[in-house]
Amino acid sequence: ATVEVEARAPMSYAQRQLYAVHEALPAEARGMYNVPIVVRLDGAAAAGATPAALRDALLALAALQAVLRTALVIGDDAVGDAE
């Protein structure tokens, strides 16, 4: 699935706050707000699933949720944009 990328937009207040916290933390503590999880799939729906099918499902989900495909880009002027 191809996702159309909108033009850059200024970071929201919440995004700026999150970036400020990220920059204030020591390097080894950055990313502590990212909590990886593992989800176990079982049952009939997952029995014939392939890695390609999972990839397609995740891409379809990301196409519906802009927050899952947002990247914060800091320019030379130290002003951030959401892309």
Side-chain angles (χ1 to χ4, degrees):
T2 302
V3 176
E4 293 295 323
V5 178
E6 295 100 26
R8 287 186 179 180
M11 282 195 287
S12 69
Y13 177 78
Q15 288 170 325
R16 288 194 309 269
Q17 293 294 99
L18 187 59
Y19 180 74
V21 168
H22 173 81
E23 288 298 301
L25 292 172
E28 63 275 2
R30 291 181 181 176
M32 65 185 222
Y33 44 81
N34 292 324
V35 181
I37 63 169
V38 175
V39 177
R40 183 181 187 99
L41 303 175
D42 59 5
T50 64
L54 179 58
R55 184 194 70 234
D56 292 345
L58 293 174
L59 286 173
L61 178 63
L64 296 174
Q65 302 295 327
V67 70
L68 296 177
R69 59 179 192 275
T70 299
L72 302 181
V73 179
I74 306 303
D76 294 335
D77 57 359
V79 175
D81 292 322
E83 183 177 79

